[in-house]
Amino acid sequence: MHGFLLEESCFKMYEIDKCPYCIKAKLFIRDTLNSTVHVRNVTEDLHTRELIAADTGHKTFPAIFLGEEFIGGCDDLIRRIHEGTLQIPLLKEEIRLLKNEINKLRRGI
């Protein structure tokens, strides 16, 4: 799906400035997984940072979601890919996004 202009992304990631783990996770998703990621910088957004911590228990960055499922941080993402526990959820999310795009195209015809 890399290169497609979709309104949605498989991954959603919250990052902060100058975070090497944020950069590593973003590159891993884009280049290694060849997937889409929507990145939101929350360096100056303390409220959102507090919400993420309250909702997930995760207080460091990045905070990565696959669809609506919280994955964790950079190391969690890479570990789960190597363990093989994210391949099927990733494929399901990609299929969901593609179906949404196909339905949009059909409505436009």
Side-chain angles (χ1 to χ4, degrees):
M1 288 180 47
H2 186 69
F4 283 82
L5 296 175
L6 301 177
E7 291 181 17
E8 298 181 67
S9 297
C10 289
F11 289 92
K12 296 168 190 75
M13 187 176 99
Y14 295 89
E15 70 174 1
I16 57 174
D17 289 342
K18 300 178 183 176
C19 169
Y21 292 103
C22 297
I23 295 166
K24 182 178 179 180
K26 190 173 9 182
L27 292 174
F28 185 81
I29 291 168
R30 289 180 180 166
D31 298 340
T32 303
L33 299 180
N34 200 27
S35 192
T36 55
V37 59
H38 173 80
V39 179
R40 180 165 172 209
N41 190 304
V42 293
T43 302
E44 302 293 327
D45 188 349
L46 185 58
H47 177 70
T48 299
R49 291 169 69 166
E50 289 171 349
L51 287 175
I52 293 167
D55 288 346
T56 66
H58 188 77
K59 297 178 182 178
T60 62
F61 288 89
I64 305 167
F65 293 79
L66 174 57
E68 299 300 316
E69 178 189 355
F70 177 67
I71 301 302
C74 179
D75 292 340
D76 301 313
L77 170 70
I78 293 170
R79 177 184 44 78
R80 289 187 63 184
I81 288 294
H82 290 302
E83 290 174 350
T85 60
L86 276 187
Q87 278 80 357
I88 290 176
L90 178 55
L91 287 173
K92 286 181 179 180
E93 184 64 15
E94 288 175 339
I95 290 168
R96 185 189 71 76
L97 291 176
L98 286 172
K99 283 182 178 179
N100 286 347
E101 290 301 310
I102 289 168
N103 287 334
K104 287 177 191 175
L105 288 170
R106 285 182 179 152
R107 286 190 295 264
I109 294 177

